[in-house]
Amino acid sequence: MDDGDLQRQPANHVPLSPISFLLRAARIYPGRVAVIHGQRRLTYAQMAERSRRLASALRRAGIGPGDVVAIMAPNTPEMLEAHYGVPMTGAVLLTLNIRLDAAAIGFILRHAGAKLLLVDREFTRTARGAVPEGMTVVDIADSEAPDGETLGATEYEAFLAGGDPAEPVRMPEDEWEAISLSYTSGTTGNPKGVVAHHRGAYLNAAANALAFNLTPRSVYLWTLPMFHCNGWTYTWAVTLQGGTHVCLRRVEPGAIFAAIAAHGVTHMCAAPVVLTMLIHAPEAVRRPLPGPVAIATGGAAPPSPVIAGMEAMGFDVTHLYGLTECYGPATICLPQPGLEAMPLAERAGFMARQGVNHPMLEEAAVLDPASMAPVPADGRTLGEVMLRGNTVMKGYLRNPEANQAAFAGGWFHTGDLGVMHPDGYIEVKDRAKDIVISGGENISTLEVEEVLYAHPAIMEAAVVAAPDPKWGEVPHAFVTPRPGAEPPTEAEVIAWCRARLAHFKCPKRVSFGPLPKTSTGKIQKFELRGRLQGV
């Protein structure tokens, strides 16, 4: 067929961007409640107006295409608005992890070259020690939290009032333009900036809506932090379907049960620690669910007691796997016919798998990293989990060496080791990067080890993941005291770390003694993990 005279034009080609989801929802469902936060209610018309005001105010503050705008806030309406208002200017949204310390936040802001910071007043004290000189700061005062310190010269509502919602929205000229920037610890002390594009955000949000069965009647509870790779793109997916966002500032069992009962929540996502939290919640805060609640979880696979406990309360658990580098979910453990009839132990074994590629991801495979050939689908042969498709990041910001390694051979290398089962389902067996995932947070063991090595009485140190009934896993430190020095106590080592790291990164336990090594002197972390698991 000769179609050389058929050209791409505005009538038949529009760059994909999730900005369009809000514009569509406001047009089709203007009066529908889009956001619930405590006593606040915003319709889709109001959410769109506020987002457009934010975009206008940012332009008037000197923000333009390619500029980075950071936000440090929990799951609030302002965080949602930033996911639309910032990209409406062509700027790049940087969502900051509210659990990080000032040193980490400061590094991220400087590395990203952020020009403006929106900060919830609960976190202004941390931000004060992190903001580079000359950065514009806008304070967010949330009625659901005690008012904190003032850091910026402008308050968020006053900032919005200075914007004009009638100003035209800037849609991307190229869907490859960056929409967001997220920082992940990786395996080094300094985090890497993951650059996401409009196309990937659009497609992954659409995939979430499809895979999680979101509809205009869906009520989504924000227990997953929106700062985690844009809330796995559910910040956009729920809006795509015209569902209702229920914001939750603090993830506590009582607040979760109350929100589900009050608002008829149908969907939520959470780290495994939240599932455990709900199962072991005091009877005084529990409430019967008004209907089935679909809950998606990622990170450590949910063990059978957790699955059983959640099902007994009326939750339907879905296991996902992904990384910040692939917009959150990359694989999903889709149920097969007959799964519900399996005994719990057998069913839990199946649900522990990371599954098959997410709807808009082109391919997920387990490959031999040396030959780049697929490993046998026998459920036993280890390989590296690799991904390719439109929902993989643009790359790491200003880090060519990391990008070369990440994209070698035409695939994104996750660094996770897994097997391929005969039915085509992937199961992750180990983390090649030695990352500890605690309560959904990535912790670099090398970063913790660097702090331990700085202790004057420690000669060697290694940190591995230890199983934990609440957090899924936590850092456990193995240290060898320096000869001739007074050996530190476990409490002293933990205190040393807490003075130098964000508290969630610190070891919860410390073991003392010689470290197992290979003939070349490399510490054998697999043996240390085995000690903690009784193998």
Side-chain angles (χ1 to χ4, degrees), residues 204 207-213 220 224 229 231-234 268-272 275 294-302 316-323 326-335 350-359 416 425-428 431 437:
N204 206 70
N208 280 333
L210 177 64
F212 211 27
N213 297 314
Y220 183 92
L224 177 78
C229 44
W232 294 355
T233 72
Y234 279 95
M268 56 193 286
C269 297
L275 276 60
I295 184 167
T297 189
D316 182 16
V317 181
T318 297
H319 185 207
L320 302 169
Y321 162 82
L323 306 90
C326 53
Y327 299 77
T331 70
I332 178 171
C333 190
L334 290 174
F350 179 88
M351 292 176 65
R353 299 178 185 180
Q354 280 60 39
V356 296
N357 54 305
H358 211 238
D416 289 330
Y425 278 58
I426 291 171
E427 182 177 1
V428 172
R431 299 186 182 96
I437 301 179

Side-chain angles (χ1 to χ4, degrees), residues 42-64:
L42 293 173
T43 65
Y44 268 110
Q46 291 170 326
M47 181 180 173
E49 179 187 342
R50 288 173 61 84
S51 298
R52 295 182 71 154
R53 281 189 181 277
L54 174 58
S56 173
L58 288 170
R59 288 191 198 98
R60 296 178 183 192
I63 299 299

Side-chain angles (χ1 to χ4, degrees), residues 119-129 137 139-141 146-152:
V119 58
D120 186 286
R121 283 190 180 167
E122 182 178 349
F123 308 103
T124 49
R125 181 170 295 179
T126 299
R128 187 179 299 280
V137 179
D139 291 347
I140 301 171
D147 204 13
E149 301 178 1
T150 298
L151 181 58

Side-chain angles (χ1 to χ4, degrees), residues 19 26 141 162 215 252 283 323 358 385 459 464 531 533:
I19 296 171
T215 75
E252 299 168 341
E283 288 296 330
L323 306 90
H358 211 238
V385 179
M459 180 176 69
V464 299
R531 292 180 188 178
Q533 296 168 356

Side-chain angles (χ1 to χ4, degrees), residues 261-278:
H263 308 303
V265 168
T266 59
H267 294 77
M268 56 193 286
C269 297
V273 63
V274 177
L275 276 60
T276 303
M277 182 192 302
L278 295 176

